[in-house]
Amino acid sequence: MADLDAVLAAADANLDASLERLFELLRIPSISTDSAFDGDCRRAADWLVAELDRLGFDASRRDTQGQPMVLARGGAGSGPHVLFYGHYDVQPPDPLELWQRDPFDPAIVDTPTGKQIVARGASDDKGQLMTFVEAARAYRQVAGELPLPVTILFEGEEESGSKSLGPFLDAHLDELKADVALVCDTGMWDRETPAITTMLRGMLLDEVVVTCANRDLHSGMYGGAAMNPIRVVAKIVADLHDANGRVTVPGFYDGVEEVPADIAAQWGGLSFDAGEFLGEVGLRLPAGEAERSALEQIWSRPTCDANGIVGGYTGEGSKTVIASQASVKMSFRLVGGQDPDAIRDAFRAFVRERVPADCAVAFIAHGGNPALSLPLESPYLDAACTALADEWGKPAVLTGCGGSIPIVGDFKSTLGMDTLLIGFGLDDDRIHSPNEKYEFSSFRHGIRSWVRIIDALARM
Ligand code: BES
Ligand code: MN
Ligand code: MN
């Protein structure tokens, strides 16, 4: 085993170069959802392979039907075998005009609360995945080798549903099987308090396309007699919640569980201020189930949201038209034992009941995955908590996460592994939004945290 202080010192001594490497990765616009950027996703994958290779890992790019995977093996020793996962793809940067600088020209910006790294992907997830790579670098510099077997898996389709990942896991079970997965794609509780996320919401994506007349119609000539598909879609969306914010799809709450008492007690002690949380985005009034706290609404209760709705004329001026078609893209965040397939069926039945007999509805499935929770008795959890407390000078809190990371469910169901979700993002990092940033302090202490976690796991 290495001298931990020497590894931490090496990580700090490397910081300028670490940042320069992160900037190189941030300059590659690896937007997975838009095929115009396929070449850039491949470049990002190749960049990571080269970097891991230089670091002494046995690394390769693995092509898939979608964006390539990066797979690497390194480390040795009798400690648990860990699988580290992150994603190199990013969300599209638009609306571009709201960025204060080019989203793919990273910069350090000084603010009253410290330095920030500003670029698309700085926090989600390139800055985060590089914390692990840089920790591995420091460890190897000092000790020659990582103290436990490590497999690294970076994917390039997380932001567009991880479609290739399930088949990839199935096809490479032996290479990917490990004792525990480590994922750096979540946040801290606040800027001083580290967190381990033990509840992650699942997700279901579905699209509804309603067609009424066989062509767009003059709204004076046909208006009144012809059904309007926007009216049908609007009715569907409006019916999905009752006056108390509950979702009305029959069976939707099947499998939803109350938060276990020990977790509820932890959350109760977190002094979450709903007014502050919503205030930061210009809102005041929690919109979820009336009898639930805002923290429950984002962490432990399921949701139903329309993410986009289109139909008819949306250009300048006006046009008196009854469109032939209207559509809506829906997402559901799932918790506990909610079954994505059962909810898809129930939702589609709910929709069909609201489509008139002379109109048609088609559905486009965009994937789904169940929610996940980490067993609190996991021995890895204790080791990681201690390591985080040593770095931050405060115990780590156990949190939920309203977002989803599709693959984590498959790690459990396909590879039988639990996942430690440990990340250093902050709520105000503006992930998926203009002017995304990652705190320099998240980057530095993130690297140092992984050094300590690797060390603690190796000593188990
Ligand atoms: N890193 C996020 C998940 C996340 C969100 C963690 C908020 C912590 C706080 C991840 O990259 C993400 O955006 N996931 C998507 C998945 C979807 C595109 C299938 C999500 O949650 O919407
Ligand atoms: Mn992410
Ligand atoms: Mn994301």
Side-chain angles (χ1 to χ4, degrees), residues 282-301:
L283 293 172
R284 260 176 318 123
L285 311 170
E289 293 165 272
E291 73 281 15
R292 299 289 175 170
S293 72
L295 205 57
E296 286 179 286
Q297 289 177 8
I298 56 170
W299 283 357
S300 65
R301 301 298 297 174

Side-chain angles (χ1 to χ4, degrees), residues 81-86 132 148 150-151 153 178 180-185 380 384 408 411 417-422 450 453-454 457:
H81 181 173
V82 301
L83 173 68
F84 182 83
Y85 163 93
F132 188 85
L148 72 192
V150 176
T151 302
L153 172 65
V180 64
L182 305 174
V183 171
C184 191
D185 195 24
Y380 306 115
V408 176
F411 284 161
M417 265 187 305
D418 284 321
T419 296
L420 289 179
L421 292 152
I422 301 173
W450 286 120
I453 293 167
I454 289 169
L457 292 176

Side-chain angles (χ1 to χ4, degrees), residues 232-437:
V232 177
V233 167
K235 164 90 174 142
I236 292 165
V237 174
D239 281 354
L240 280 165
H241 293 88
D242 70 13
N244 292 317
R246 269 179 78 85
V247 176
T248 54
V249 175
F252 182 72
Y253 289 93
D254 291 355
V256 175
E257 292 145 19
E258 289 302 320
V259 175
D262 44 353
I263 291 280
Q266 268 245 13
W267 291 5
L270 284 178
S271 67
F272 178 77
D273 186 331
E276 218 173 274
F277 175 71
L278 287 173
E280 202 247 321
V281 296
L283 293 172
R284 260 176 318 123
L285 311 170
E289 293 165 272
E291 73 281 15
R292 299 289 175 170
S293 72
L295 205 57
E296 286 179 286
Q297 289 177 8
I298 56 170
W299 283 357
S300 65
R301 301 298 297 174
T303 70
C304 162
D305 273 295
N307 302 122
I309 180 163
V310 275
Y313 181 72
T314 58
E316 201 177 323
S318 62
K319 182 182 182 192
T320 50
V321 68
I322 296 175
S324 163
Q325 215 169 58
S327 65
V328 60
K329 287 180 191 279
M330 299 295 312
S331 68
F332 300 84
R333 300 279 172 177
L334 310 181
V335 302
Q338 277 182 303
D339 173 0
D341 297 325
I343 291 176
R344 193 190 301 282
D345 291 347
F347 169 66
R348 290 182 174 188
F350 178 97
V351 168
R352 283 196 188 93
E353 272 173 25
R354 286 163 178 79
V355 177
D358 59 345
C359 302
V361 60
F363 296 95
I364 305 169
H366 293 292
N369 58 279
L372 201 92
S373 54
L374 175 75
L376 296 186
E377 55 283 357
S378 162
Y380 306 115
L381 186 58
D382 272 350
C385 275
T386 308
L388 285 170
D390 288 347
E391 177 59 24
W392 296 85
K394 277 179 104 172
V397 297
L398 304 183
T399 61
C401 173
S404 309
I405 306 170
I407 191 55
V408 176
D410 294 356
F411 284 161
K412 183 74 186 179
S413 59
T414 309
L415 298 174
M417 265 187 305
D418 284 321
T419 296
L420 289 179
L421 292 152
I422 301 173
F424 308 97
L426 296 180
D427 282 346
D428 67 1
D429 278 354
R430 297 183 290 272
I431 63 172
H432 297 204
S433 299
N435 305 306
E436 177 176 351
K437 58 90 176 163

Side-chain angles (χ1 to χ4, degrees), residues 157-179:
E157 280 180 308
E158 197 275 344
E159 298 293 10
S160 49
S162 296
K163 289 182 205 68
S164 309
L165 200 48
F168 187 79
L169 290 193
D170 290 334
H172 299 84
L173 291 179
D174 290 345
E175 271 181 289
L176 292 167
K177 180 98 197 65
D179 295 309

Side-chain angles (χ1 to χ4, degrees), residues 193-205:
T193 318
I196 300 183
T197 299
T198 63
M199 287 173 67
L200 187 66
R201 287 199 288 195
M203 134 112 118
L204 170 67
L205 300 165

